[in-house]
Structures are given as C-alpha cells and as structure tokens.
Amino acid sequence: MQWDHLFEDLADQFSAEREEAEQRAAIDDERLRIARLTIRDRLAALAAGIRPGERIGMQLHTDERIDIVPVEFGADWFGAELAGIGGSYGACLVPIAGVAALLLTPDQVERSLIPQPARPSVTERLSIHIALRDLGRRRTVCELLTPAGAIIGTIDRVARDHLDIAVHDPETVRRNRSVRVTRIVPLRDIMLVRIHAD
C-alpha cells in the first residue's frame, strides 16, 4: 500500500513538473514571437480583424497625424485608405520607414499582438520601388509628404535610392509644358504618397 502511495506521489510530482516546464516553454515561445514582431506585422494583424468604421491612428516622421485603414502590404510599405472627417478621402502608400508611431487604443494594441497565419502573396514580396514605378507608369498624380514639405506631381522614374517627380498643377495632365520643375527626391525622405483620385 505504501508503495502505491509513493508511486502516485512521484507520478503527481512528475506530472506537475512537466506541466510547469510546458508552461515555461509556452511563455518563452510567446516572448520570442513578440520579440520578432515588426510594425508591419502588427498593422497586418489589425487589418485582418478591422471593424466597420474603425481607423488606425498613425504619426509620420513629418509629425503629421493621420487615420488609416490598411488594405495591402508590400515588403517595406503598405497601402491604405486615408480617413478624413467625412470618411475616406483617398488612397495612399506608406513606406514603413515613414512611420514614426502607431497611435492605438488599448483594444487595438491587444489585437495587434494576435498571431496571424502565414498568407504569402506576390504583393508581400514587392518593394516600394515597384509600387512607385506602377504609379509612374499609370501617370497618376501624387502628393509626396517629405520633411521639406509636400510635393505634387507625376512620378517620371524611380531609381535605386531616389525618384524624379515632375511638379505640376494637380488638375492638369502631366505634359512637358505644364511641368514647372522636376524634383529628385531621396526615397528615404518620402513619408507618405497620397494618390490623387481621378
């Protein structure tokens, strides 16, 4: 009888130690997962569960505060709808490097930490260069937000570390006669690209 109690005690002790070790391992795994998260990951988690009418606050390095609804993610950028007083007022591209801070509610903070299943897509591998070149190819009028101010025009070309933007009146089509000046802008200085609606 005493042997039975001894083995029961040992089994209970072993089971408790194993459960404690599993809990410690789970805590360590979660800490490691959190340590590997990027701003892009947290925005993608929020975008996956965004609620109707919900906006995500963001501050740019230009110190401008905007409200967005992320819709697409590239390798080093994301596309979003800009939210204004009357709802949405246009699409934008945001280089991840242009984000100074996310301004989240406590609930959004919690949801931004929820693990997301891997959903690889072609877009997720594309750099900001590709997205900007596409805007140039489409001759889309854009507004670039930079530390030096806003620049409105059409992207003519995108190089390794800069782009050329033909500055012209946003209501006109890009023609040589309408271009006031071409500005060469380092990509690192672009905080936001507002896409002019047709």
Side-chain angles (χ1 to χ4, degrees):
M1 193 63 113
Q2 290 177 350
W3 285 109
D4 289 343
H5 288 304
L6 176 64
F7 289 133
E8 283 176 18
D9 288 346
L10 286 173
D12 289 345
Q13 183 179 351
F14 176 76
S15 180
E17 287 174 359
R18 187 176 64 188
E19 187 176 316
E20 185 180 330
E22 287 172 356
Q23 287 175 348
R24 277 197 309 270
I27 289 169
D28 288 344
D29 288 348
E30 179 64 3
R31 284 185 182 143
L32 182 59
R33 185 188 72 79
I34 296 289
R36 291 179 174 160
L37 285 178
T38 64
I39 286 177
R40 182 188 177 285
D41 295 333
R42 296 189 71 178
L43 274 169
L46 281 172
I50 201 144
R51 298 170 178 156
E54 182 178 14
R55 304 290 183 252
I56 298 167
M58 190 172 72
Q59 184 176 4
L60 303 172
H61 286 292
T62 58
D63 211 28
E64 183 172 348
R65 186 196 189 283
I66 59 174
D67 291 322
I68 59 161
V69 179
V71 293
E72 190 67 64
F73 290 86
D76 54 355
W77 60 278
F78 64 93
E81 290 294 323
L82 285 164
I85 293 169
S88 177
Y89 63 79
C92 67
L93 296 180
V94 185
I96 297 293
V99 177
L102 298 178
L103 310 171
L104 306 181
T105 65
D107 177 60
Q108 287 175 329
V109 170
E110 291 302 315
R111 287 187 287 132
S112 76
L113 295 170
I114 295 172
Q116 296 299 305
R119 284 180 264 177
S121 72
V122 173
T123 307
E124 288 185 355
R125 294 192 297 265
L126 301 179
S127 73
I128 189 79
H129 295 78
I130 303 298
L132 293 170
R133 284 184 186 121
D134 186 58
L135 290 174
R137 183 182 59 77
R138 295 171 190 263
R139 311 312 284 159
T140 304
V141 176
C142 300
E143 179 183 350
L144 309 182
L145 256 56
T146 74
I151 305 164
I152 298 174
T154 302
I155 297 169
D156 280 344
R157 64 193 57 82
V158 180
R160 181 176 180 179
D161 65 351
H162 66 277
L163 61 73
D164 294 10
I165 183 166
V167 178
H168 59 86
D169 190 312
E171 278 75 42
T172 63
V173 177
R174 192 251 186 256
R175 301 263 190 265
N176 284 339
R177 65 179 176 275
S178 64
V179 174
R180 293 192 295 270
V181 68
T182 296
R183 292 186 64 170
I184 297 175
V185 182
L187 294 179
R188 71 173 182 274
D189 285 350
I190 298 172
M191 305 295 127
L192 178 83
V193 181
R194 282 192 175 106
I195 301 168
H196 189 271
D198 293 333

